Amino acid sequence: MERLMRLRLPWLGLALAVLLALPLAAACGGDDDDSGTAPADGGSTEPAGYAEPNLLAETDWLAGQLGNASLVVVDIRKKEAYDAGHIPGAVWYDQAALKDPDEKLYVIRESLFAEKVGALGIDNSKEVVIYDDGTGLWATRLWWVLDYYGHNKARVLNGGWAKWEKEGKAVSKEAPTPTKATFVAKPNPDVICALDYVKEKATSPNPNVVILDVRSQAEYTGADVRAARGGHVPNSVNLDWQASLTDSDPKVWKPADQLRAQFAKAGITKDTEVITYCQTGVRAAHSLFTLRLVGLGKGNKVYDGSWAEWGNSKDTPVQQ
């Protein structure tokens, strides 16, 4: 039943969007291989206009929250990077534990995920801030898994470790010993979809549904082949996930107006259902996070099997 549930799984109103936009006028690689006013509770120092600014945590805000018993900071970099130095009090989560050990194409099963995050002191009431090396790639995947399992109090550190380190903020090599907590996983089938669902949308196009391929253009065209077949899901549009980040060092999410403009070019509005996919569902989670950040799309879903499943299946159509 648990396996079946996993596989079968606010853009604001126009007037408010216009009001938010007024102050604006006067965030590499593959799945396998980040000047405005801060809201009082979100810690954002990036340009105003995000629909859900509290999805991001800024480094200055987090620095002031360290030691808060209601907050768990999670480092999802490689273990050797964590051991070499991390944000004080941060616990470590293994990137490999975002997929199921027995069904590696798909999200980690609910019972195992509940056990792993509970061991880190995370229950359903804790606020969570997640960081990776800097692009948010792995942090947003963990954010999405938490969201899928019913935890809606997680944020991603904008700029991640790269920004934290560049700013000279506190670093520790001490690994905390968290008090074990009970996490109750409640899968939400509305934020995930399986191959059959994508196949239906791909072969019977709907103007209100956008299949968003967030891989590189080379992967999309089939020049870079990472499965039995190269190319893309029919009727999908390509927008590289990295386009959501600035070119600066460290990288952070782009301002809301820039993000909305690039998604609009891909045919995405606040009322569009968006299915994101990549190679293994990691980059896809990053783009779904970004869509929610700026309030675009309705009923957005990650195709968790992504190209690793689609491109290796014998009965799926492929375009190049």
Side-chain angles (χ1 to χ4, degrees):
M1 176 61 71
E2 181 177 310
R3 168 81 167 91
L4 180 61
M5 288 177 65
R6 290 193 289 112
L7 286 182
R8 297 298 170 194
L9 317 171
W11 177 267
L12 301 175
L14 178 60
L16 181 55
V18 172
L19 289 175
L20 287 172
L22 289 176
L24 293 174
C28 137
D31 295 358
D32 305 322
D33 324 321
D34 288 318
S35 53
T37 303
D41 58 348
S44 175
T45 57
E46 291 304 302
Y50 295 134
E52 296 191 42
N54 285 347
L55 291 178
L56 288 176
E58 297 301 327
T59 50
D60 286 344
W61 174 85
L62 181 58
Q65 294 294 313
L66 297 183
N68 184 340
S70 66
L71 176 69
V72 178
V73 181
V74 181
D75 186 318
I76 196 167
R77 299 176 298 154
K78 297 293 186 181
K79 185 62 161 59
E80 54 268 28
Y82 174 82
D83 290 340
H86 52 263
I87 295 176
V91 296
W92 179 74
Y93 190 91
D94 187 358
Q95 295 174 2
L98 294 171
K99 291 285 189 172
D100 196 87
D102 298 322
E103 298 180 287
K104 299 184 185 300
L105 282 176
Y106 311 116
V107 63
I108 182 173
R109 71 182 75 109
E110 62 190 89
S111 57
L112 185 55
F113 184 69
E115 176 186 331
K116 287 186 175 296
V117 296
L120 299 181
I122 299 172
D123 60 26
N124 298 75
S125 69
K126 285 286 197 303
E127 289 191 65
V128 178
V129 172
I130 314 159
Y131 71 93
D132 55 25
D133 289 313
T135 62
L137 181 63
W138 290 99
T140 51
R141 175 67 188 190
L142 178 53
W143 168 87
W144 178 80
V145 178
L146 282 165
D147 185 67
Y148 169 55
Y149 283 127
H151 191 289
N152 58 5
K153 296 181 179 180
R155 305 176 187 179
V156 171
L157 184 63
N158 201 10
W161 176 255
K163 191 168 186 287
W164 185 274
E165 185 179 42
K166 185 173 184 177
E167 293 171 348
K169 289 183 164 52
V171 175
S172 174
K173 292 185 178 181
E174 181 179 351
T177 304
T179 301
K180 186 176 181 180
T182 299
F183 181 84
V184 179
K186 301 176 181 179
N188 177 9
D190 293 337
V191 299
I192 194 170
C193 61
L195 186 150
D196 288 349
Y197 185 87
V198 182
K199 193 173 183 180
E200 175 192 340
K201 302 301 181 183
T203 55
S204 301
N206 183 327
N208 296 317
V209 177
V210 170
I211 303 175
L212 187 65
D213 184 321
V214 304
R215 299 174 300 161
S216 67
Q217 186 180 33
E219 290 171 88
Y220 180 78
T221 61
D224 181 356
V225 181
R226 303 188 182 187
R229 296 175 295 163
H232 57 268
V233 174
N235 297 303
S236 63
V237 295
N238 181 227
L239 179 61
D240 193 316
W241 70 278
Q242 296 177 95
S244 295
L245 303 174
T246 62
D247 294 328
S248 60
D249 180 21
K251 294 179 181 295
V252 294
W253 264 266
K254 287 179 178 177
D257 57 343
Q258 294 181 27
L259 293 172
R260 291 188 180 112
Q262 68 186 32
F263 284 125
K265 289 181 180 178
I268 296 170
T269 71
K270 65 183 179 65
D271 296 318
T272 308
E273 177 188 325
V274 185
I275 300 169
T276 64
Y277 81 92
C278 52
Q279 179 68 22
T280 64
V282 179
R283 290 174 281 178
H286 191 283
S287 292
L288 185 140
F289 174 92
T290 305
L291 286 164
R292 190 175 299 182
L293 179 66
V294 296
L296 288 179
K298 182 169 61 177
N300 299 340
K301 308 177 194 314
V302 166
Y303 168 32
D304 201 34
S306 279
W307 196 255
E309 180 178 51
W310 190 279
N312 286 314
S313 297
K314 296 180 180 180
D315 60 350
T316 50
V318 170
Q319 285 184 342
Q320 292 182 334

